[in-house]
Amino acid sequence: MSFLRNLKVKSKLLLILIVFTVVAITISWRGLSTSSLLNSEITDIISTNVPRIEFANQITIALMSMQRVEKNAILAETEEETKKYIDRFEEYDKRFDAMAKELSAVASKEGKEFLQRCIDSKNKYAKIANEIFDLTLAKNNSEAILLSQTKGREEVDNCEKLLNQLVMMN
């Protein structure tokens, strides 16, 4: 302590400045190294979660489009319009399958199980939709509507629920 008492004010101020500078540099270096680690963790999270969410959203859009086209086929006034909607249903079905393949590539093992169950529900829905289209072409819209509102809606809801569970997984 006598060493510090013997120093001039200028030297004491310089010593305090040096100590604070060393402390500031140490804190800054520690913060930057932690920031770099945090950045790499965030990048890892984003690189897996964002594509999974995007593909799941695209699958949901395709599924909702399939359902909308199915409803429009029932409401179509001519057989020609109905067939046009059936063709569009098949396009959305293919889009669903393509997005499901993309999602499968980025999903975890458990996520792939949810996805497969969703695909199974969609395939059941596609079979039901084909029955609906047959009923519509046979001018039996009341049965087509009933089938759409019961079994068809049930499979679509199930697939949506499974996709939501897949998206919520970490």
Side-chain angles (χ1 to χ4, degrees):
M1 281 303 219
S2 63
F3 165 72
L4 289 177
R5 285 186 189 161
N6 293 338
L7 288 177
K8 295 181 181 179
V9 172
K10 181 179 177 183
S11 298
K12 288 179 184 177
L13 287 174
L14 187 59
L15 182 63
I16 290 171
L17 181 65
I18 290 171
V19 168
F20 281 132
T21 303
V22 168
V23 169
I25 290 172
T26 303
I27 290 172
S28 298
W29 177 79
R30 178 84 172 147
L32 287 175
S33 66
T34 303
S35 172
S36 174
L37 178 64
L38 183 62
N39 182 34
S40 67
E41 288 178 11
I42 289 173
T43 302
D44 290 344
I45 290 169
I46 288 173
S47 67
T48 56
N49 287 350
V50 170
R52 185 178 70 214
I53 292 168
E54 180 61 30
F55 292 136
N57 284 340
Q58 291 298 322
I59 289 171
T60 303
I61 290 169
L63 188 62
M64 295 297 103
S65 297
M66 290 167 68
Q67 193 175 32
R68 188 186 79 227
V69 167
E70 171 228 313
K71 304 285 188 222
N72 287 339
I74 294 171
L75 298 173
E77 293 182 6
T78 65
E79 186 175 321
E80 208 172 273
E81 286 179 357
T82 302
K83 288 181 179 180
K84 180 181 79 171
Y85 288 121
I86 293 170
D87 291 341
R88 288 181 62 199
F89 182 91
E90 291 169 2
E91 290 172 20
Y92 288 123
D93 191 16
K94 289 176 185 174
R95 187 176 299 168
F96 180 103
D97 291 340
M99 289 295 110
K101 189 175 183 180
E102 295 287 334
L103 179 56
S104 181
V106 295
S108 65
K109 182 180 178 184
E110 187 180 3
K112 288 179 183 180
E113 291 172 10
F114 281 114
L115 179 60
Q116 187 56 54
R117 289 172 40 207
C118 176
I119 291 169
D120 293 344
S121 283
K122 188 272 302 180
N123 289 337
K124 289 177 187 174
Y125 169 63
K127 287 179 183 176
I128 293 167
N130 285 331
E131 291 177 37
I132 292 168
F133 296 145
D134 290 342
L135 289 169
T136 300
L137 290 170
K139 304 291 185 207
N140 195 348
N141 286 350
S142 59
E143 277 189 50
I145 290 170
L146 182 63
L147 189 57
S148 174
Q149 291 175 342
T150 55
K151 292 181 180 178
R153 184 68 201 175
E154 181 182 310
E155 294 302 333
V156 170
D157 288 345
N158 185 44
C159 188
E160 281 184 65
K161 182 183 80 169
L162 290 165
L163 282 173
N164 287 335
Q165 289 174 333
L166 189 148
V167 167
M168 293 303 188
M169 292 173 39
N170 291 328

